[in-house]
């Protein structure tokens, strides 16, 4: 089986489109609970495919030749899964709670390739 890194993404536009921030606290709390329940069900349903459960991601520091700086990207979380193909890995995330319930923007899935040898 191949391994794939799935990055959960989010941005202000997705939050705005979803109306998440306009929800009253009780409704948002209900959606958060429903989202966590659905996410747990997704994890359980795909447990044989999950290599690393991952989790949320915090603030970013970026290091370049110029030094270290605070940096903003769209990555909000990650998980590592196994699948026979890239397409099969992507299908695991169709209608995922990250964007079906929560105001997430999407999930980006990329194959973890072996380190090339000489």
């Amino acid at each position: 089986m191949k391994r794939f890194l799935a990055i959960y993404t989010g941005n202000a536009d997705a939050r705005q489109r979803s109306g998440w921030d306009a929800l009253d606290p009780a409704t948002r709390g209900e959606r958060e609970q429903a989202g966590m329940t659905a996410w747990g069900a997704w994890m359980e349903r795909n447990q044989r495919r999950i290599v690393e459960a991952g989790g949320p991601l915090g603030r970013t520091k970026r290091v370049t030749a110029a030094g270290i700086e605070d940096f903003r990207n769209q990555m909000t979380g990650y998980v590592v899964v196994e699948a026979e193909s890239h397409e099969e890995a992507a299908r695991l995330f169709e209608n995922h709670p990250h964007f079906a319930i929560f105001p997430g923007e999407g999930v980006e899935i990329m194959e973890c390739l072996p380190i090339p040898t000489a």
Side-chain angles (χ1 to χ4, degrees):
M1 288 247 210
K2 298 176 181 180
R3 286 191 176 188
F4 297 87
L5 173 64
I7 300 289
Y8 300 108
T9 61
N11 58 41
D13 289 341
R15 266 185 100 87
Q16 186 177 4
R17 277 192 310 272
S18 73
W20 189 263
D21 294 328
L23 296 173
D24 64 84
T27 302
R28 189 174 325 153
E30 290 170 6
R31 281 217 192 145
E32 287 171 350
Q33 184 58 49
M36 293 310 295
T37 298
W39 204 308
W42 182 89
M43 294 288 285
E44 187 174 321
R45 194 169 51 253
N46 293 290
Q47 66 183 345
R48 65 184 177 82
R49 300 274 191 203
I50 296 171
V51 176
E52 183 178 337
L57 297 173
R59 298 192 184 278
T60 302
K61 293 278 188 195
R62 183 173 184 232
V63 181
T64 66
I68 300 170
E69 64 180 326
D70 289 336
F71 190 77
R72 186 172 182 99
N73 59 43
Q74 294 188 7
M75 293 182 262
T76 62
Y78 76 102
V79 64
V80 179
V81 298
E82 285 186 330
E84 292 293 333
S85 69
H86 205 165
E87 181 72 21
E88 182 180 314
R91 290 202 179 281
L92 294 173
F93 296 90
E94 289 181 310
N95 298 310
H96 192 281
H98 174 68
F99 54 82
I101 298 173
F102 288 111
E105 190 270 328
V107 182
E108 298 178 10
I109 298 96
M110 57 216 87
E111 185 175 353
C112 300
L113 301 171
I115 297 173
T117 57

